[in-house]
Amino acid sequence: RGEELKLLGMWASPFVVRVQIALRLKGLSYEYVEEDLQSKSELLLRSNPAHAGKVPVLIHNGKPVCESSVILRYIDEAFSGSGPSLLPADPYGRAVALFWAVFVDDTLLKARSQALRGETVEEKEEGRKKAAVAMETLEGVLMESKARFFSGRDVPGYLDIMLGGLLGSMRATEEMCGLQTFDPTTTPLLAAWAELFCALDAVELVMPRVERLVEYAEAMQQPRTAVSSTTN
């Protein structure tokens, strides 16, 4: 069947990176369209009116799908016959993967955001502590998978992509602000997982280099908000 896939994105967005990794892991061909978020295209504004033209947007045969977490699930269902499945087939396994993916965005990312953008030293320190606890929680989840990936297999799945897509921006933040990505002492499994994930062909090709992300953030003069406020 003739499938037309077009991804509207912005190179520095970790949420766009998530979608690119998923598409590559599934072995799907797609057209990538780089968006200028300071001057958004009509196609982007029309495709994601609910969120004022945020990226990523995946357009499949003319129909737009928005939000990285939703796009990943869509790719998995719409192209179930291509590549490895991203989510488990059994309902409970799917629910568990989806739960921890929400944890990544709602708990880990929010804690890191507080650590970076808290109005007081105390707020920032509280954010750092919350982020450390969230990391240790995810370390336990990875341990329970009894595999190199959260998927419990030799190939990454939904949760791996949801967390792994953030690694470039997390490492750039570490370089700029000293907020550690994964502590090899307290979260050795996550540290090893991150190296393994980033070495995958599907990831290496689309993960932005840390140096370039740092340069971009510094040029924007708002290093901690430049990307996150315009992408999802």
Side-chain angles (χ1 to χ4, degrees):
R1 54 183 178 164
E3 301 287 3
E4 184 181 274
L5 283 170
K6 181 179 290 188
L7 176 61
L8 309 183
M10 185 270 180
W11 70 270
S13 165
F15 307 104
V16 172
V17 172
R18 281 175 173 170
V19 178
Q20 289 180 296
I21 291 170
L23 289 166
R24 288 179 177 278
L25 281 173
K26 295 286 278 183
L28 300 170
S29 298
Y30 64 98
E31 177 190 353
Y32 177 73
V33 179
E34 179 73 14
E35 285 284 342
D36 178 356
L37 298 182
Q38 308 305 315
S39 179
K40 297 171 184 175
S41 70
E42 281 300 316
L43 178 60
L44 177 58
L45 292 170
R46 190 169 68 245
S47 299
N48 193 0
H51 293 293
K54 283 187 177 182
V55 294
V57 175
L58 181 71
I59 302 175
H60 180 205
N61 292 338
K63 296 176 181 177
V65 185
C66 309
E67 299 277 347
S68 62
S69 60
V70 176
I71 295 171
L72 261 58
R73 292 174 68 180
Y74 178 81
I75 290 170
D76 204 30
E77 292 172 15
F79 300 95
S80 57
S82 299
S85 58
L86 304 183
L87 280 160
D90 75 286
Y92 182 73
R94 290 172 71 87
V96 170
L98 293 170
F99 172 85
W100 288 115
V102 170
F103 179 86
V104 167
D105 281 356
D106 284 3
T107 302
L108 175 61
L109 277 187
K110 283 182 180 176
R112 288 179 64 86
S113 178
Q114 182 181 336
L116 294 167
R117 296 200 276 273
E119 292 185 8
T120 64
V121 173
E122 291 77 16
E123 274 186 33
K124 288 181 178 179
E125 184 56 31
E126 184 188 15
R128 282 178 180 267
K129 287 178 180 175
K130 286 180 182 176
V133 171
M135 296 289 198
E136 287 172 26
T137 301
L138 288 168
E139 177 83 355
V141 176
L142 184 54
M143 186 180 295
E144 284 176 20
S145 76
K146 296 181 172 63
R148 299 187 301 168
F149 294 107
F150 284 100
S151 63
R153 303 170 302 178
D154 286 334
V155 291
Y158 184 80
L159 179 55
D160 295 285
I161 299 169
M162 288 292 288
L163 181 59
L166 307 174
L167 286 171
S169 61
M170 288 171 74
R171 286 170 169 172
T173 301
E174 180 174 358
E175 188 161 311
M176 289 186 295
C177 313
L179 184 59
Q180 194 164 24
T181 305
F182 298 127
D183 185 340
T185 306
T186 56
T187 56
L189 294 179
L190 278 176
W193 165 85
E195 294 303 317
L196 180 67
F197 185 83
C198 288
L200 294 169
D201 289 343
V203 177
E204 211 170 16
L205 289 166
V206 295
M207 185 69 74
R209 286 186 299 104
V210 171
E211 301 78 17
R212 192 180 174 207
L213 285 169
V214 171
E215 286 173 10
Y216 169 75
E218 289 173 347
M220 292 294 287
Q221 297 180 333
Q222 290 179 302
R224 293 179 287 279
T225 58
V227 175
S228 61
S229 62
T230 51
T231 65
N232 56 28

